Amino acid sequence: MNKVNETENRYIMKSLYYLFFLFVQLEFIMPEYFGYTSIFRIIRILQHPLTILALIIYIMYLIRDKFVNGVMVFVTFFLGLTIMKHGNVALAFMNFERCSSIIIYYSFLYKIDKKLFYKCISDYWMIILVLNTVITIIKPHGLIQFKSEFADIDKEYYFLGVSNQVIPFYYIGITFNYILCRNNYGSPYRLLLLFVCMWTSELIYASKTSLMGCMIFTAGVLFFSNIKFRIMTKKYRKKWLILIAAGIFLISLMYYLVIFVRIQEKFAKIIETLLHKDATFSSRTMIWDVAFDMILKSLLLGYGAADNNNRYIYIGTSSYNAHNLFLQLLLMGGIVLLACFAYLLVISIVSLNKCNDNKLKGFTLTLVLTFLFTSMSEVYTMYLIFIVFFIAYISRNALKMNVSNILKLSNYKISIKNESNKGGEFLNG
C-alpha cells in the first residue's frame, strides 16, 4: 500500500513540475503575437515573481554552473551598462528577466530530472511550432498587419513574430525533440511533423535568409543522422574537434569576407539570380557602414539598450538594428559584451566536443552553425541564442546509455579483441 502511495505521489509531483515548467516557458518564451494583445500585461506582471524565484534557485543550486554564470554576467553587465549610459532601462531589465530566468529554469529542471526536462521542453516547443504553422496556413499574411513605426515598411506578425524571425524557433524545437527521440522518450514521427511544419512555414514566409538556414539545417541533419555509431576514442574526438573548429572558422571567414571585404559585390549577378537581392542585401551593407562608425566611437563598452527598441542605426527617418549578430553585440556592450558572448560560445563548443554520441553531436553542431550563419544578416531574440548554446552545453550528458549503444560498444570491444588474437596467431605462426 505504501509503495502504491509513493508511486501516486511521485506521479502527482512530476505532473505538477511538468505543468509549472510549461507555464514558465509560456511566460519567458512567449509567442510574440501576445505582445500586441492585452494578455501581455498579465504575462509581464507574472514575470517579476518568477524571476525572483529563478534568482533564488540560481543562488541555491546553480551558483557553480559555468554556463549559467556566463549568462548572468552577460545580462547583468548589459543592464548595468544601460543604467550607466542612461539608456532604455526597462528594455534592458526585460532582457535580463527573460534571458536569465529561462536559462536558470532550464538548467534546474535538467539537473533534477532529465527525462521530465526533455518531455516538458520538447512538448512546449512542439505545441508552439505546430500552432504557428497551422495559424500561418490559415492566415498567410499574418495575424496583424501594420506599417512599422521604425521603418517605412509593411509588417506582418505571425504567432511567433515577424516572418524573418520565426524559423530559428523551428531549429531549436526540432533539436529538443530529436534528443527526446534519441533517448527513446518520444516517437520519431514528431521530427517528421516538425520538419514538414518548418518547410511549410518557410514557403509561406519566403524569407531568403531563413531559406538558406532551412537548407543548411536540413542538409546537416540528414548527413549526421546517417553516420554510423563509433566509440569516442581520443583520436576520434580530435577529428571531431577539427571538424567543429573548421565549421566555426568557416563561419567567421564568411563574416569577414561579407561584412568587411564585401566579396558579395563580385557575385552580384549570381545573388540577383538566385536570391533576387542586390549586392547590398536589401541595404544591409549601408546599415553595417553606419554601425562601424558608431562602434568605433564607443568600442569598449558600446551603448547599452537603445531607447528605440534596440535599433541603433538611423538612416534618414528610419531606424534599424545592426542586421548582424556581432555588430549588434558591439553596439550593445562593446568588446566587453562580445567577450562574454565568446566565453559562452567556447564553453558550449568544448562541452559539445565531449559528447560521445556522433549523431547528437553532429545534429547539435548543425544547429549552432546554422544559427551563427543566419545571424550574419539578422539579429534574433537574445534568449534564443542562449538556448542554442545551452543545448550544445548539455549535449555532453544529454543521452542515456541505451541498450543498443551498449550492445554496439560490446560488439566493438569483441571485434577489437578478435583482431588482436588474430594478430597474435599470425606472429606465433
Side-chain angles (χ1 to χ4, degrees), residues 92-104:
F93 184 66
M94 184 169 69
N95 179 78
F96 175 91
E97 288 188 313
R98 293 180 76 175
C99 293
S100 62
S101 297
I102 196 60
I103 294 301
I104 289 170

Side-chain angles (χ1 to χ4, degrees), residues 181-287:
C181 295
R182 286 287 288 161
N183 276 310
N184 296 322
Y185 298 145
S187 169
Y189 290 109
R190 296 167 69 111
L191 290 175
L192 179 60
L193 173 61
L194 289 178
F195 267 105
V196 171
C197 287
M198 180 181 76
W199 277 103
T200 301
S201 299
E202 171 51 29
L203 290 174
I204 295 173
Y205 300 148
S207 167
K208 301 301 185 297
T209 302
S210 296
L211 176 61
M212 295 291 290
C214 286
M215 292 171 64
I216 294 170
F217 185 71
T218 305
V221 164
L222 289 174
F223 174 78
F224 286 112
S225 62
N226 287 301
I227 61 177
K228 294 181 179 179
F229 179 86
R230 275 199 176 187
I231 305 303
M232 281 291 178
T233 60
K234 287 184 178 180
K235 185 177 180 180
Y236 196 57
R237 185 171 280 122
K238 283 181 180 178
K239 291 181 179 180
W240 265 104
L241 183 59
I242 293 171
L243 177 63
I244 294 171
I248 299 294
F249 173 77
L250 183 61
I251 295 294
S252 302
L253 181 62
M254 291 181 67
Y255 270 67
Y256 172 74
L257 292 176
V258 171
I259 300 171
F260 294 95
V261 179
R262 305 287 166 85
I263 195 172
Q264 66 272 19
E265 294 175 1
K266 297 180 180 181
F267 304 96
K269 290 185 179 180
I270 298 175
I271 294 171
E272 289 173 11
T273 303
L274 294 179
L275 301 178
H276 303 290
K277 286 181 176 287
D278 57 25
T280 67
F281 293 142
S282 300
S283 302
R284 278 170 172 74
T285 54
M286 296 170 59
I287 295 171

Side-chain angles (χ1 to χ4, degrees), residues 3 44 70 72 76 91 135 159 174 212 223 244 246 248 253 268 297 316 320 335 368 385 391 406 422:
K3 288 184 177 180
R44 190 73 187 102
M72 290 301 295
T76 304
L91 183 63
I135 294 171
F159 185 62
I174 289 171
M212 295 291 290
F223 174 78
I244 294 171
I248 299 294
L253 181 62
K297 292 175 182 176
Y320 307 90
I335 293 175
V368 173
I385 301 170
I391 294 172
I406 292 172
K422 288 178 182 178

Side-chain angles (χ1 to χ4, degrees), residues 85-145:
K85 295 275 187 176
H86 305 289
N88 191 332
V89 177
L91 183 63
F93 184 66
M94 184 169 69
N95 179 78
F96 175 91
E97 288 188 313
R98 293 180 76 175
C99 293
S100 62
S101 297
I102 196 60
I103 294 301
I104 289 170
Y105 281 118
Y106 270 15
S107 300
F108 178 65
L109 182 58
Y110 180 77
K111 285 182 182 296
I112 62 175
D113 193 324
K114 288 184 183 179
K115 183 176 180 179
L116 181 62
F117 170 83
Y118 287 122
K119 280 184 171 294
C120 181
I121 306 308
S122 61
D123 283 353
Y124 178 78
W125 282 84
M126 186 165 184
I127 289 167
I128 62 172
L129 293 177
V130 171
L131 270 176
N132 182 77
T133 304
V134 172
I135 294 171
T136 297
I137 293 170
I138 296 171
K139 294 279 190 178
H141 297 292
L143 291 168
I144 306 173
Q145 301 90 27

Side-chain angles (χ1 to χ4, degrees), residues 21 24 50-59 61-62 67-69 71-72 96-111 390:
F21 281 100
V24 164
L50 285 172
T51 299
I52 294 171
L53 177 59
L55 294 175
I56 293 171
I57 291 172
Y58 167 68
I59 294 169
Y61 301 104
L62 301 169
F67 186 82
V68 179
N69 284 336
V71 172
M72 290 301 295
F96 175 91
E97 288 188 313
R98 293 180 76 175
C99 293
S100 62
S101 297
I102 196 60
I103 294 301
I104 289 170
Y105 281 118
Y106 270 15
S107 300
F108 178 65
L109 182 58
Y110 180 77
K111 285 182 182 296
F390 174 76

